[in-house]
Amino acid sequence: MELSIFMRSHMRAQVIRLVIVLVLLLNIPNVAESRKGRILESFEYSAISCRAHSASLTEFGGVGDGTTSNTKAFQDAINHLSQYASDGGAQLFVPAGKWLTGSFSLISHFTLYLHKEAVLLASQDTKEWPVLNPLPSYGRGRDAAAGRFTSLIFGTNLTDVVVTGENGTIDGQGSFWWQQFHKGKLKFTRPYLIEIMFSDNIQISNLTLLNSPSWNVHPVYSSNILIQGITIIAPVTSPNTDGINPDSCTNTRIEDCYIVSGDDCVAVKSGWDEYGIAFGWPTKQLVIRRLTCVSPYSAVIALGSEMSGGIQDVRAEDIVAVHTESGVRIKTAVGRGGYVKDIYVRRMAMHTMKWAFWMTGNYKAHADNHWDPNAMPEIKGINYRDMVAENVSMAARLEGISGNPFTGICISNVTIGMAAKAKKQPWTCTDVAGITSGVTPQPCDLLPDQGSEKITACDFPTDDLPIDSVEFKQCSYRMSYFV
């Protein structure tokens, strides 16, 4: 009887051990993986394209400890995934963790997706940042005459690229670069966080960008670009940390972004002096909507100063500015050439501003001494309507060029509340021409009031640009990977 009880107890123990072993074997594909943790991730997002293939950075040696360099892991992963470009494209998933990396380059038909707890940390080792030649429409770097460091995430001659995530973070660790800039020790221009060149069908969305060494997002010589749901944060005293700079681009949409920076929140550009004139690649068909901006020393939207290839058909609406130097600013000078025309801004709310509107034809920073004194910029067809501002030091500072005035300025249904210590003269106007209607305080004589019946005089286009017809797909992924 006692032996039988013993045997039954022993058999039960053996069965339990066998079950445990089977469970372990079923959950561990092979002995080599037995010391790794298996993670399942599932996520959905909207994108211009979904991908047939997907991989995790950890499959290529990525280590998210914040100290190990992942530059090689990123490039190895992207090089491997390039084989799927003609077979439904590929996606690289960056899991939760801190992923230190230098610059790496994207490929066509590709998605880079950041987990909500993923942080890309930009390396402060300059050896991990290759140097490129200056942009052809600029002729030189902005920080130094020589070349420029490649952006953290870079791509050229691409089509169908998505950089997105669950509001994952890209941290440029810019203080290192800002110190070098202020000390005058940079031999090359500082890198940007994201730069895409000579490319088509680009989506950059749902990310947080912190402390960029310089500009944050720079699409250049590209078309059909969507930038959505981006949060950009840098100290307001950081040098040249522009938010989003569409540069010689066609058919671009920037929307639902929050930007705190040390420079312009959105700076629209198209080349510098004789280089931009010769390159001749304008920025046109640009939509900016639902933008919130904080930038005490710069503008919400700046047009120029590098505008020598031309800027045309910019449509901005539903903008909020808080503690920002100026709402809309046009910057140009003799020698720029090019044009800024057909600009439309409406439904803008501004609180605590130095200027609501600022135009200047005296922005004299030139690429070199070879600029053409006969290259006059053309500024015309500037339309502002349906705006309100409060605590403003000066309503407008509008300065055209002697002998080459800015024309076709139209401002209507705008109420500007002046600050307690505002300038005695709320408007200053020289070498400009246009009209106003329903504007408070009363504008300068060069912009005569047309009466309340003309309050809707300033145009805003009713047609849609091609970028507004882009259709998104709902992409769904379930990934299994080991860490």
Side-chain angles (χ1 to χ4, degrees), residues 174-194:
S175 59
F176 163 79
W177 298 96
W178 305 333
Q179 291 171 15
Q180 297 298 307
F181 172 78
H182 286 307
K183 293 176 181 178
K185 292 186 176 181
L186 289 172
K187 295 181 179 179
F188 307 106
T189 292
R190 286 165 287 160
Y192 309 144
L193 286 188
I194 303 174

Side-chain angles (χ1 to χ4, degrees), residues 198-229:
F198 296 110
S199 298
D200 182 64
N201 293 331
I202 306 298
Q203 175 186 336
I204 302 170
S205 63
N206 300 323
L207 299 167
T208 295
L209 310 184
L210 304 178
N211 302 318
S212 178
S214 186
W215 299 352
N216 280 267
V217 181
H218 184 223
V220 57
Y221 318 139
S222 297
S223 59
N224 303 313
I225 303 154
L226 289 160
I227 301 174
Q228 300 175 314

Side-chain angles (χ1 to χ4, degrees), residues 352-354 389-395 416-424:
T352 307
M353 313 288 290
K354 188 172 184 179
E390 60 180 359
N391 198 30
V392 177
S393 298
M394 190 170 182
I416 300 173
M418 306 307 293
K421 296 183 179 181
K423 299 288 185 180
K424 292 182 179 179

